[in-house]
Amino acid sequence: MLIVKKFGGSSVRDAERIKNVADRVIRDYNEGHDIVVVLSAMGDTTDNYIKLAHELNERPSKREMDMLMTTGEQISVALLAMAIQAKRVPAVSLNAFQVGMETTSDFMHARLKRIQTQRLKNELENRKVVIVTGFQGVNRNDDFTTLGRGGSDTTAVALASVLHADLCEIYTDVDGIYTADPRVVPNAKKLDEITYDEMLELASLGAKVLHNRSVEMAKKYGVPLVVRSSLVDAEGTVVKEDVPVEKMLIKGVTCDKNVAKLAVIGLKNEPGVAFKLFNILARYDVNVDIILQSIGRNETKDISFTVAKEYLDDAIDALNDVNAGISFEKIHYDVDVAKVSIVGAGMMTHAGVAAKMFEALYNANVNINMISTSEIKITVLVHADDANRTVKAIHDMFE
Amino acid sequence: MLIVKKFGGSSVRDAERIKNVADRVIRDYNEGHDIVVVLSAMGDTTDNYIKLAHELNERPSKREMDMLMTTGEQISVALLAMAIQAKRVPAVSLNAFQVGMETTSDFMHARLKRIQTQRLKNELENRKVVIVTGFQGVNRNDDFTTLGRGGSDTTAVALASVLHADLCEIYTDVDGIYTADPRVVPNAKKLDEITYDEMLELASLGAKVLHNRSVEMAKKYGVPLVVRSSLVDAEGTVVKEDVPVEKMLIKGVTCDKNVAKLAVIGLKNEPGVAFKLFNILARYDVNVDIILQSIGRNETKDISFTVAKEYLDDAIDALNDVNAGISFEKIHYDVDVAKVSIVGAGMMTHAGVAAKMFEALYNANVNINMISTSEIKITVLVHADDANRTVKAIHDMFE
């Protein structure tokens, strides 16, 4: 069996943890499996350098930031190779350039374009454990790029796809996907199985376990995923195409505090306004999440939307870009907000799920700011201070 | 003018130093020069990782050590690029793979084979300051290699050579080449000029300022070198082919404590013994320095030689290799030794230089262990404890 195993930064943060990872890898290797390991940078390896970067340049270029950041995974893969070799198991570490991990040129949030498999296959044929740097790629000019948030998951799933791996294991510091964040909701339950779509909604809604890009890719290429703990030896949660209908309709409650709400007040009430607005945001690389439009006073309209906090400045710049040709009265923004969502396949076809959720919020005296729904999720935007209380109230209601 | 500037690890050890380097580079850039900067890893960047490597594996593979080590220069070049860009001067950092710095596959002591100049030239034509990782290369399998001691100097000289640079400046924490180590001999004098050959002898004899590989290469390709201080703005020492005859015959006194002496006692006194011995040492990649042969008792002979301390274990392994077919009684070794040398062009044609040196040692009551001479140097091996006293005595004698 060919298994791709991905370990995050906390799984390799010191010598002890690296040895644990080595042991786990060797166990599967010794059972005859071919193993590709994908690693993130060690815990806080790059933190000092990022700090230094900002001492040297308030706005360091993204190209040079990626040049700096990509050293992090190179360090961790080399160290794991040494730890595995210490147990007399052959291993080799490869960075993005050595693998041939081609990406777009969007520094700090590049997208994978192509992965060369020759070297990987050669090393696997020589029965080596192949350890690959996650998160990073190389553009067509040979510049290093990084894949942005959740990038190592994406690397793992992409490798599993191009190598036709039998399994892609994502090791994290939790032991699977839960119905809610166990730190917020102590009686949250671990799921044995979940569909790609449900996982996708959970991921895009702030469940930190898997990033949506990696789940999208896993769904697209049918890569069998398992999310499991790097600390304890437990079964984890399988993410796959079809899951037998379960008794529980709601798969989980998630909360995302990394969100900012923007309201553009007093837009002209004419065709093309929304197009212009979201077009300029796209050109500024701002990913928009929930969108809400309402009729304002005096024949104007207001458009509200949410973005991840790091896009707030760019969003405001975009809206004020004179080339966009958008006229409005003013912009409001609020960063003290949180998105709380419930996710479950077929949820919307069951009457009363939304009503039940809103009832929970009413009982908990939580004010709802925005509402957004899809086939398999319902999201509300609430004040950040209400977030944990909201998650608990909903979880209890559906428990 | 195209100038290659090399800065060592201490010149980039923190934000302040990196900014200093940036200022120096920008000054020359603004005068219209094209600038290529070669950097070592920051002060002690990689020390922690090397420590960690040895926690994970007592004998980490050289391939993986190089994978680990090469991250150090990548960090420093990225940071310098940011510091230069902060002053609105265009800059780009490149690692060995991006430049196309091809080496042999001898991990940890690879040799440069070929340097691609296309990308370097493109970036220079775009008037960018090009910042290149020193010390590292890539072999034909795309594995990272390192050039061993003094590797960044070698990178700088090699780049100056292939780019036909007008000048190669080696910045160090001293302000030039001295007649002796100023920490040992307070009245040592700075030289304005020195020939490649003299520099070569000084370098190979432990003057830490320039490594002999880089001087050899500079001599071979006629690269004009300057050694100057990264801390103060002073003239430095020019290293070139011909230097006008100076009054002072002796260019310098050097001392190298990184040396071990081995004596192979009781070798058969027959042809081919020396060949076998040095052949097996070469096959173990052991560089031998001073060699001394003497007739032993009972028709046997003894061969003594010195190696850099890090080669001692390998040398002993080599001598004990049964495949070498060398029979001897025993091996003695001594690491408490130091090589002290005087260097100066035409020295050996002047009668009395050697005699004067030995007189100095006799007066200082220093016991000489081995003696070796060449056209432009005289070396003695003394006890390590006598080293500084020896240097001072000789320097005073020739002063």
Side-chain angles (χ1 to χ4, degrees):
Chain A
M1 207 156 89
L2 172 56
I3 308 175
V4 175
K5 294 170 174 287
K6 180 258 166 179
F7 294 89
S10 63
S11 302
V12 290
R13 72 169 180 219
D14 55 32
E16 215 45 56
R17 294 276 184 105
I18 293 172
K19 283 180 185 169
N20 280 344
V21 170
D23 288 342
R24 235 168 214 279
V25 168
I26 289 170
R27 201 170 59 192
D28 283 356
Y29 174 90
N30 283 339
E31 284 178 9
H33 300 304
D34 289 326
I35 313 286
V36 174
V37 182
V38 174
L39 293 188
S40 302
M42 292 169 72
D44 44 9
T45 314
T46 38
D47 288 1
N48 284 332
Y49 298 121
I50 295 170
K51 209 174 129 243
L52 205 50
H54 286 96
E55 276 177 51
L56 294 169
N57 192 325
E58 284 173 21
R59 285 197 160 204
S61 84
K62 289 178 177 177
R63 194 262 178 203
E64 297 301 333
M65 276 308 281
D66 280 354
M67 186 79 174
L68 182 66
M69 299 297 286
T70 49
T71 60
E73 296 87 34
Q74 190 170 323
I75 289 166
S76 54
V77 295
L79 291 173
L80 180 62
M82 293 173 193
I84 290 174
Q85 289 167 348
K87 301 287 176 73
R88 298 185 190 286
V89 169
V92 64
S93 68
L94 299 175
N95 74 356
F97 137 67
Q98 290 163 334
V99 168
M101 192 82 72
E102 296 173 35
T103 71
T104 61
S105 282
D106 309 296
F107 297 111
M108 297 180 84
H109 56 273
R111 296 199 157 255
L112 284 168
K113 283 168 67 182
R114 208 173 293 111
I115 299 178
Q116 305 295 336
T117 54
Q118 198 53 54
R119 172 111 194 219
L120 292 166
K121 284 179 179 165
N122 288 350
E123 302 286 5
L124 287 170
E125 269 165 28
N126 291 327
R127 275 297 280 155
K128 284 188 188 167
V129 174
V130 182
I131 308 161
V132 178
T133 51
F135 184 66
Q136 62 180 241
V138 175
N139 73 8
R140 62 178 180 171
N141 300 322
D142 288 346
D143 291 323
F144 281 103
T145 56
T146 60
L147 303 180
R149 275 213 273 171
S152 292
D153 292 347
T154 307
T155 306
V157 172
L159 284 173
S161 166
V162 297
L163 294 171
H164 307 291
D166 300 283
L167 191 60
C168 180
E169 297 179 321
I170 308 288
Y171 288 85
T172 68
D173 41 14
V174 297
D175 61 350
I177 310 293
Y178 275 75
T179 52
D181 187 338
R183 287 165 302 187
V184 177
V185 182
N187 58 344
K189 288 203 181 79
K190 193 176 83 176
L191 299 166
D192 294 332
E193 292 183 328
I194 188 170
T195 68
Y196 292 122
D197 284 338
E198 289 170 337
M199 189 62 236
L200 215 45
E201 293 287 7
L202 286 173
S204 70
L205 293 170
K208 303 250 164 26
V209 179
L210 270 181
H211 199 265
N212 53 355
R213 276 169 68 190
S214 56
V215 183
E216 269 167 30
M217 193 181 283
K219 176 180 156 73
K220 187 168 171 189
Y221 298 103
V223 174
L225 275 184
V226 180
V227 176
R228 57 196 305 182
S229 166
S230 61
L231 304 172
V232 298
D233 210 2
E235 279 298 316
T237 300
V238 177
V239 188
K240 54 185 194 178
E241 194 51 69
D242 290 310
V243 171
V245 178
E246 301 201 16
K247 281 142 280 173
M248 192 167 36
L249 202 61
I250 306 304
K251 277 292 163 58
V253 185
T254 67
C255 177
D256 182 4
K257 293 179 183 169
N258 179 34
V259 59
K261 179 193 159 191
L262 285 117
V264 188
I265 312 290
L267 288 156
K268 282 203 187 112
N269 192 9
E270 61 186 22
V273 166
F275 163 73
K276 280 185 194 164
L277 199 152
F278 293 107
N279 187 43
I280 190 75
L281 289 169
R283 274 166 48 203
Y284 274 73
D285 275 331
V286 174
N287 286 321
V288 173
D289 192 26
I290 313 175
I291 299 172
L292 202 93
Q293 179 178 310
S294 56
I295 302 296
R297 287 158 296 182
N298 307 328
E299 290 301 291
T300 63
K301 61 184 174 187
D302 308 336
I303 292 181
S304 302
F305 57 91
T306 60
V307 296
K309 274 188 179 131
E310 62 266 33
Y311 291 119
L312 179 60
D313 289 345
D314 286 343
I316 294 172
D317 286 351
L319 295 170
N320 286 315
D321 188 329
V322 286
N323 296 319
I326 312 168
S327 75
F328 52 83
E329 281 166 35
K330 55 189 170 184
I331 302 172
H332 279 165
Y333 67 85
D334 186 357
V335 293
D336 291 325
V337 290
K339 276 191 311 188
V340 177
S341 312
I342 54 173
V343 172
M347 191 175 67
M348 290 305 282
T349 57
H350 281 67
V353 171
K356 209 167 160 190
M357 177 174 178
F358 300 146
E359 184 189 348
L361 297 190
Y362 176 73
N363 290 340
N365 200 24
V366 170
N367 191 37
I368 301 173
N369 216 305
M370 289 169 94
I371 299 171
S372 160
T373 58
S374 83
E375 268 302 295
I376 61 168
K377 73 161 180 197
I378 305 173
T379 300
V380 293
L381 197 75
V382 299
H383 194 278
D385 296 340
D386 294 333
N388 290 355
R389 205 153 49 86
T390 306
V391 172
K392 265 190 220 124
I394 297 172
H395 196 268
D396 289 346
M397 177 64 94
F398 287 100
E399 171 63 2
Chain B
M1 204 156 93
L2 172 56
I3 307 175
V4 175
K5 293 170 173 288
K6 181 258 168 179
F7 294 88
S10 63
S11 303
V12 290
R13 73 169 180 222
D14 56 31
E16 214 46 55
R17 294 277 184 107
I18 292 172
K19 284 179 186 171
N20 280 344
V21 170
D23 289 342
R24 234 168 216 280
V25 168
I26 290 169
R27 200 170 58 192
D28 283 355
Y29 175 88
N30 284 339
E31 284 178 10
H33 301 303
D34 289 327
I35 313 286
V36 174
V37 182
V38 174
L39 293 188
S40 302
M42 293 169 71
D44 44 8
T45 314
T46 39
D47 288 1
N48 284 333
Y49 299 121
I50 295 171
K51 208 174 130 241
L52 204 51
H54 286 95
E55 275 177 52
L56 294 168
N57 192 325
E58 285 174 19
R59 284 198 162 204
S61 84
K62 290 178 177 177
R63 194 261 178 204
E64 297 300 334
M65 277 307 282
D66 279 355
M67 186 79 173
L68 183 64
M69 300 296 287
T70 48
T71 60
E73 296 87 35
Q74 192 169 324
I75 290 167
S76 54
V77 295
L79 291 173
L80 180 62
M82 294 174 193
I84 290 174
Q85 289 167 349
K87 302 287 177 74
R88 300 186 189 285
V89 169
V92 63
S93 69
L94 300 174
N95 75 356
F97 138 66
Q98 291 164 333
V99 168
M101 192 82 72
E102 296 174 36
T103 70
T104 61
S105 282
D106 308 297
F107 296 112
M108 297 180 82
H109 55 273
R111 296 198 157 256
L112 284 168
K113 282 168 66 183
R114 209 172 294 109
I115 299 177
Q116 305 296 336
T117 54
Q118 198 54 55
R119 173 111 195 219
L120 292 167
K121 284 178 180 166
N122 288 349
E123 302 286 5
L124 287 171
E125 269 164 29
N126 291 328
R127 276 298 280 158
K128 285 189 187 166
V129 173
V130 182
I131 307 161
V132 177
T133 51
F135 184 65
Q136 61 181 241
V138 175
N139 73 8
R140 60 177 184 177
N141 300 322
D142 287 345
D143 292 323
F144 281 103
T145 57
T146 59
L147 303 181
R149 276 213 272 169
S152 291
D153 291 348
T154 308
T155 306
V157 172
L159 283 173
S161 164
V162 297
L163 294 172
H164 307 293
D166 301 283
L167 190 60
C168 181
E169 297 178 322
I170 308 288
Y171 287 85
T172 69
D173 41 14
V174 296
D175 60 351
I177 310 294
Y178 276 73
T179 52
D181 186 338
R183 286 166 302 188
V184 177
V185 182
N187 58 343
K189 288 203 181 79
K190 193 176 83 175
L191 299 167
D192 293 330
E193 292 183 327
I194 189 171
T195 68
Y196 292 122
D197 283 338
E198 289 169 337
M199 189 63 237
L200 214 46
E201 292 288 7
L202 286 172
S204 70
L205 294 171
K208 302 248 163 29
V209 179
L210 270 180
H211 199 266
N212 52 357
R213 277 169 68 190
S214 55
V215 183
E216 269 168 30
M217 193 180 284
K219 176 180 157 71
K220 188 168 170 190
Y221 298 103
V223 175
L225 275 183
V226 179
V227 176
R228 56 197 304 183
S229 167
S230 61
L231 305 173
V232 297
D233 210 3
E235 279 298 316
T237 300
V238 177
V239 188
K240 55 186 195 178
E241 193 53 69
D242 289 309
V243 171
V245 179
E246 301 202 15
K247 282 144 277 170
M248 192 167 37
L249 202 60
I250 306 304
K251 276 293 161 59
V253 185
T254 68
C255 177
D256 182 5
K257 292 179 183 170
N258 180 34
V259 59
K261 178 193 161 188
L262 285 118
V264 188
I265 311 289
L267 288 156
K268 281 203 188 113
N269 190 7
E270 62 186 21
V273 165
F275 164 72
K276 280 184 193 167
L277 198 151
F278 293 105
N279 187 43
I280 190 74
L281 288 169
R283 275 165 50 203
Y284 274 72
D285 276 331
V286 173
N287 286 322
V288 173
D289 191 27
I290 312 175
I291 299 171
L292 202 93
Q293 180 177 314
S294 56
I295 301 297
R297 284 157 301 183
N298 307 328
E299 290 302 292
T300 62
K301 60 184 173 187
D302 308 336
I303 292 182
S304 302
F305 57 92
T306 60
V307 297
K309 274 186 181 134
E310 63 266 33
Y311 290 121
L312 179 61
D313 289 344
D314 286 344
I316 292 171
D317 286 351
L319 295 170
N320 285 314
D321 188 331
V322 286
N323 295 319
I326 312 167
S327 75
F328 52 83
E329 280 167 36
K330 57 191 170 185
I331 302 173
H332 279 164
Y333 67 86
D334 187 357
V335 293
D336 291 326
V337 290
K339 275 191 312 190
V340 177
S341 310
I342 54 174
V343 172
M347 190 175 68
M348 290 306 280
T349 56
H350 281 66
V353 172
K356 209 166 161 191
M357 177 174 177
F358 300 144
E359 183 189 348
L361 298 189
Y362 175 74
N363 289 342
N365 200 24
V366 171
N367 192 35
I368 301 173
N369 216 303
M370 287 169 95
I371 298 171
S372 159
T373 58
S374 82
E375 269 302 294
I376 61 167
K377 72 160 182 200
I378 306 172
T379 300
V380 293
L381 198 75
V382 299
H383 193 278
D385 296 341
D386 293 334
N388 289 354
R389 203 155 48 89
T390 306
V391 171
K392 265 191 222 125
I394 295 171
H395 196 269
D396 288 347
M397 178 65 94
F398 286 97
E399 169 68 359

